[in-house]
Amino acid sequence: MLDTVFIGLSIGSILLLVALGLSIVYGSMGVINMAHGGLVMMGAYTTVLAQTYLGFNLFAAIPLAFLVCAGLGLLIEKLVIRRLYSRLFDTLLATWGVAILLQQAIRLEFGLSFFGIHIDGLGPGLQSVTLPEIMTESFTVGEFVIQPYRTFIILVSALLALLTWFVMYRTRIGQQVRAIMRNPDMAAACGIDVKKVNALTFAYGAGLAGVAGVMMSGFKTVMPDMGSSLVVDGFLVVVVGGVGSLVGSIVASGILGQLNGVVAFFSNDIIARAVVFAAVIAIIIWRPRGLFNYKGR
């Protein structure tokens, strides 16, 4: 049973990484970023390509994926999102379109497949990432089996959650983000460059999605549509935890991850998925604004 709890923690950690970016982006910008799953996928493919062409192991791929996805997120914000503020459904459709474009770019190898050029690690096929040897050998403490890679996922997620808390509550840029969450017009009137802060916020959320993609690539097959379900799971965490609430995202990801792991252990993944959705529905009926509401949806 302890093994099941441990698996649930690692699942919750992945959900937390995905949800952190979604939460701060929606909380400060009012943007439903359906491209977030595509950014997770780009983080995974960055790991595949870095391993194939640069010889990077998974550890070295983490900062690289963060920078690549943060840069891509900054580009998306400047070219698409910035023109659609205060138009919720337009941003939803636009970012969904961006997600499709990212998937197709990987499938078509950035258009080079039309010229008969193949790039190893891209295309419609499945890819895999080799874990460092230190992450492949489990060991036992008493009757409890420790899986090094899942432990690593939990530690990385905890460190990034702590970093996000520090940025949000102990830095000037975090104060500006929280001011924009409360009232963007008043924040602008007080001299805050709302466009710049929004761009940096979106880039940071995209970078977190990239790191989530690296973590996913270590135990799941990498494919172009791998992020499609993750963005839904991420929004479930945001809704349950409360929009803009860091504590809410942490608690909700733990609850849903553990629920999924325990139910899957006693039944199967399909039933576990159904139970998670039922739990989410029950929670939002009970607490429409989430467990730790910071800003109403």
Side-chain angles (χ1 to χ4, degrees):
M1 187 62 185
L2 286 176
D3 293 342
T4 303
V5 172
F6 193 68
I7 292 173
L9 282 175
S10 63
I11 294 172
S13 298
I14 294 290
L15 292 178
L16 175 60
L17 285 179
V18 176
L20 281 178
L22 289 172
S23 181
I24 60 177
V25 167
Y26 184 37
S28 65
M29 303 167 64
V31 172
I32 299 178
N33 182 20
M34 297 302 293
H36 207 70
L39 292 166
V40 172
M41 178 268 295
M42 293 299 292
Y45 273 97
T46 298
T47 308
V48 172
L49 295 178
Q51 190 174 86
T52 303
Y53 295 101
L54 301 178
F56 283 14
N57 61 18
L58 186 134
F59 301 133
I62 292 174
L64 179 61
F66 180 90
L67 292 175
V68 168
C69 291
L72 186 57
L74 194 63
L75 187 65
I76 293 171
E77 194 279 335
K78 287 184 177 295
L79 295 180
V80 180
I81 304 299
R82 184 168 295 186
R83 306 169 190 276
L84 300 174
Y85 286 135
S86 302
R87 295 160 60 183
L88 182 63
F89 292 108
D90 289 346
T91 57
L92 189 153
L93 291 173
T95 53
W96 185 26
V98 170
I100 294 173
L101 289 175
L102 291 176
Q103 290 179 17
Q104 293 305 110
I106 295 298
R107 285 193 176 97
L108 299 175
E109 302 172 65
F110 300 112
L112 294 177
S113 61
F114 290 116
F115 302 97
I117 300 174
H118 172 65
I119 301 176
D120 290 335
L122 298 181
L126 306 179
Q127 307 295 332
S128 61
V129 171
T130 302
L131 290 177
E133 186 175 348
I134 193 175
M135 291 289 167
T136 59
E137 298 180 3
S138 300
F139 57 93
T140 304
V141 177
E143 297 181 355
F144 185 46
V145 178
I146 302 294
Q147 299 177 3
Y149 186 62
R150 291 189 180 273
T151 303
F152 178 68
I153 291 173
I154 295 170
L155 291 176
V156 169
S157 300
L159 287 173
L160 286 176
L162 184 61
L163 174 63
T164 302
W165 174 86
F166 180 81
V167 170
M168 290 292 290
Y169 292 96
R170 291 293 184 269
T171 66
R172 183 175 181 180
I173 186 69
Q175 291 176 342
Q176 293 175 346
V177 170
R178 287 185 287 122
I180 293 171
M181 284 182 176
R182 289 295 188 185
N183 192 321
D185 293 331
M186 184 62 71
C190 292
I192 296 175
D193 189 340
V194 175
K195 289 184 178 180
K196 179 181 178 181
V197 173
N198 281 342
L200 293 175
T201 301
F202 197 90
Y204 181 73
L208 291 177
V211 176
V214 178
M215 298 296 100
M216 287 291 296
S217 69
F219 66 86
K220 185 175 181 179
T221 301
V222 177
M223 51 187 175
D225 59 351
M226 65 180 293
S228 300
S229 62
L230 273 177
V231 70
V232 176
D233 294 337
F235 274 116
L236 291 180
V237 171
V238 173
V239 168
V240 170
V243 174
S245 173
L246 177 59
V247 174
S249 294
I250 294 173
V251 173
S253 61
I255 291 173
L256 298 183
Q258 286 295 342
L259 184 61
N260 185 85
V262 171
V263 175
F265 176 78
F266 288 106
S267 54
N268 56 59
D269 290 337
I270 297 175
I271 294 177
R273 187 80 171 168
V275 170
V276 167
F277 274 102
V280 170
I281 292 171
I283 290 172
I284 61 177
I285 290 175
W286 170 53
R287 300 273 297 183
R289 294 189 174 185
L291 297 176
F292 299 85
N293 180 59
Y294 181 79
K295 177 180 179 180
R297 294 194 298 277

